Amino acid sequence: MCASSLLKLPELLSPAGNLKKLKIALEYGADAVYGGVSHFSLRNRSGKEFDFDTFKEGVEYTHKRGKKIYVTINGFPFNSQLKLLEAHIEKMASLKPDAFIVATPGVIKLAQKIAPEIPLHLSTQANVLNVLDAQVFYELGVKRIIAARELSLKDAVLIKKELPNLELEIFVHGSMCFAFSGRCLISALQSGRVPNRGSCANDCRFDYEYYVRNTANDELVHFNGREFYVKNPDNDILMRLEEEEGIGTHVFNAKDLNLIEHIPTILESGAIDSLKIEGRTKSSYYTAITTLAYRMALNDFQNNDFSLPRYIKELNTLKNRGFSDGYIIHRPYEKHNTQNHFSAISDGDYQVNAEVSEDGKVALCRHTIRPNEPKEIITPQNNSIQNAKNDRGEIFEQGGKKYLKLSKILLENGKELESIHSGNVNPFVLPFKLPSFSFLRQKINHS
């Protein structure tokens, strides 16, 4: 291992699905965030959570903290939307973000014409896998390439060697598509929701059934020098294939990407400038924990204190479809464990009970909380919590972790509850102020 303390750490880039998640990502250690407004951002659902005013607030919030924000304009526009796209680029440029994320040569040229002062990052949707393609986009003026998920680290090193001034960004965590660089057709065919227009229905996660038809007696017909098979109507029987119970039929369902174990190798390569976490539509807790885990891994590696079990433990608290290390180290044909054929999603090791507000005084319930039930407190890095006790609750330490136990559950209006559940949209008052955007969680008993 090289002298890790001498290495320049790559940027940690986290998803900002809305203003709250943006703040959480920065609080938990992100160097930069990415997000967008409207269907041009390739995430319709997250785009709807930002309007122009809240996104503007997010840009200002990010810059005040000395961090960066990249605007996603990586959708694939139709001719009828080009005027709308021009107006959108101009409006986003007025916010002075640190870069636009775009996907096509045409949008690159348009963005350069309208906002030449805004750097351009090339989306993973452009599917760059080699030096030749990287060179073309670099000559077009792209500052950074977000590589295809199928790119190997060896190829990243070669690209960096040939184009040292071109920044390279790779995905290190999040959902994977049953497609090549997310170029999926299933959603468009089944739901009319076009993935590369930002409205993917996640059809690859569905449970499918198999059917077969016996064609043994179909008749072979010759016509104009060509051969055709004609159905035998007496033999056209459709049969459903029964599967062994518990095996499942999620044939397209990819596991989630998780490269935490390869962080030392990635950093030592010197080829990667930014590590990207996928998940603008995922939960606030997901944003916090993925950012926290990778921040710890980066800092610990730099301090020669890399401890893989520590980061794995945190990432396993997230809901996931199983984890895979993708293709950064191994070629696709060398991998046989990237698909989850059993279910579309599974619970993590922990249940989130509450999300603490920005001011740290109240929290929203996400799962049942009762008096005198200890909940683990999760905070951003470098936050220390003192043990304390009053008539409303107690903070104590056990096994190196901090816990909060409520003696009373009080709403802001003073109403006391015997218990509080996830359907309650009224914040409850904390007995002690906690760090901004902390979480309360509990370990799930799977037995």
Side-chain angles (χ1 to χ4, degrees):
M1 182 177 289
C2 63
S4 54
S5 60
L6 301 178
L7 285 175
K8 179 184 176 182
L9 292 182
E11 168 190 87
L12 180 59
L13 178 57
S14 294
N18 56 32
L19 184 58
K20 179 181 179 181
K21 294 175 188 176
L22 179 150
K23 293 179 178 180
I24 288 174
L26 296 175
E27 198 72 30
Y28 278 78
D31 299 306
V33 292
Y34 65 98
V37 183
S38 92
H39 50 277
F40 290 120
S41 77
L42 210 63
R43 282 294 182 274
N44 268 4
R45 286 173 290 172
S46 63
K48 291 175 182 176
E49 294 196 45
F50 266 126
D51 57 25
F52 180 78
D53 290 334
T54 54
F55 195 74
K56 178 181 179 182
E57 184 180 345
V59 174
E60 293 170 350
Y61 182 95
T62 302
H63 286 162
K64 282 181 181 178
R65 280 150 184 79
K67 305 297 180 70
K68 295 182 178 181
I69 182 168
Y70 309 134
V71 178
T72 49
I73 314 178
N74 54 335
F76 292 71
F78 295 123
N79 285 326
S80 60
Q81 294 180 311
L82 294 182
K83 290 295 182 183
L84 180 63
L85 177 60
E86 289 181 21
H88 180 66
I89 291 174
E90 187 173 358
K91 198 170 185 179
M92 289 296 101
S94 71
L95 302 180
K96 302 189 184 307
D98 297 281
F100 289 153
I101 301 175
V102 298
T104 73
V107 179
I108 289 173
K109 289 294 186 182
L110 184 62
Q112 288 171 330
K113 176 183 176 182
I114 297 172
E117 74 281 6
I118 305 295
L120 298 179
H121 294 179
L122 186 71
S123 171
T124 188
Q125 297 292 319
N127 193 34
V128 171
L129 286 164
N130 58 61
V131 173
L132 289 177
D133 290 338
Q135 177 77 46
V136 169
F137 285 108
Y138 180 62
E139 291 173 356
L140 283 175
V142 167
K143 178 183 179 182
R144 175 186 296 184
I145 284 178
I146 307 164
R149 286 174 174 81
E150 296 78 20
L151 182 80
S152 72
L153 190 58
K154 290 180 180 179
D155 285 326
V157 170
L158 289 175
I159 292 173
K160 196 69 174 179
K161 181 179 179 181
E162 293 293 324
L163 302 166
N165 295 323
L166 175 66
E167 295 180 3
L168 286 181
E169 177 179 308
I170 63 170
F171 281 92
V172 292
H173 203 96
S175 296
M176 298 263 279
C177 298
F178 187 81
F180 199 68
S181 289
R183 293 168 181 260
C184 178
L185 185 62
I186 304 172
S187 176
L189 290 174
Q190 296 194 150
S191 312
R193 291 169 56 176
V194 185
N196 287 339
R197 300 285 302 155
S199 57
C200 181
N202 287 313
D203 296 60
C204 57
R205 313 299 181 199
F206 295 172
D207 189 356
Y208 289 89
E209 296 179 351
Y210 303 103
Y211 289 84
V212 295
R213 186 175 64 85
N214 187 346
T215 61
N217 295 321
D218 285 353
E219 184 180 356
L220 180 62
V221 176
H222 297 270
F223 180 74
N224 284 345
R226 300 176 65 186
E227 295 181 341
F228 301 89
Y229 276 97
V230 178
K231 280 189 199 177
N232 180 343
D234 295 329
N235 196 48
D236 192 16
I237 299 174
L238 197 65
M239 297 177 293
R240 180 178 181 274
L241 291 180
E242 298 289 343
E243 293 207 2
E244 183 180 346
E245 185 177 354
I247 296 300
T249 56
H250 295 80
V251 291
F252 302 119
N253 186 39
K255 293 180 180 178
D256 293 341
L257 180 65
N258 181 345
L259 291 184
I260 196 72
E261 67 177 289
H262 298 302
I263 289 298
T265 304
I266 292 170
L267 298 191
E268 288 170 357
S269 76
I272 306 303
D273 299 281
S274 181
L275 305 179
K276 187 172 193 172
I277 298 169
E278 183 275 341
R280 279 186 280 159
T281 61
K282 290 184 169 67
S283 69
S284 299
Y285 179 73
Y286 171 92
T287 301
I289 295 301
T290 51
T291 304
L292 177 65
Y294 282 90
R295 181 78 273 158
M296 289 191 299
L298 291 172
N299 292 349
D300 290 350
F301 178 80
Q302 190 175 48
N303 296 326
N304 295 304
D305 190 29
F306 190 82
S307 177
L308 184 58
R310 183 184 178 195
Y311 325 128
I312 290 177
K313 184 177 180 181
E314 280 302 325
L315 293 174
N316 283 343
T317 71
L318 299 169
K319 291 184 177 180
N320 62 83
R321 303 179 181 95
F323 288 127
S324 166
D325 63 353
Y327 310 117
I328 194 72
I329 302 298
H330 304 281
R331 296 291 190 179
Y333 61 81
E334 296 174 329
K335 301 290 292 183
H336 300 288
N337 67 338
T338 58
Q339 298 298 111
N340 178 352
H341 294 155
F342 300 96
S343 65
I345 197 165
S346 60
D347 288 330
D349 293 340
Y350 280 76
Q351 173 66 55
V352 179
N353 296 91
E355 296 183 14
V356 175
S357 61
E358 186 172 0
D359 64 14
K361 297 179 180 180
V362 298
L364 273 175
C365 180
R366 296 303 183 204
H367 189 71
T368 302
I369 299 175
R370 300 179 181 87
N372 300 314
E373 291 183 346
K375 309 300 178 189
E376 183 184 354
I377 305 171
I378 297 300
T379 69
Q381 275 194 301
N382 304 320
N383 276 296
S384 59
I385 303 176
Q386 301 299 318
N387 292 347
K389 187 175 183 179
N390 61 26
D391 64 336
R392 291 178 292 138
E394 178 184 6
I395 294 177
F396 62 95
E397 185 171 337
Q398 183 175 312
K401 300 177 180 179
K402 292 290 185 176
Y403 291 86
L404 172 67
K405 183 168 61 176
L406 298 175
S407 302
K408 298 178 181 178
I409 299 176
L410 298 175
L411 300 182
E412 288 183 292
N413 61 9
K415 183 179 179 180
E416 183 174 353
L417 304 178
E418 293 183 1
S419 62
I420 189 167
H421 307 275
S422 59
N424 196 323
V425 297
N426 301 295
F428 63 91
V429 180
L430 295 166
F432 309 97
K433 186 176 179 180
L434 293 177
S436 299
F437 305 118
S438 297
F439 293 87
L440 302 180
R441 71 183 185 186
Q442 68 185 56
K443 190 170 179 60
I444 296 172
N445 186 356
H446 291 290
S447 59

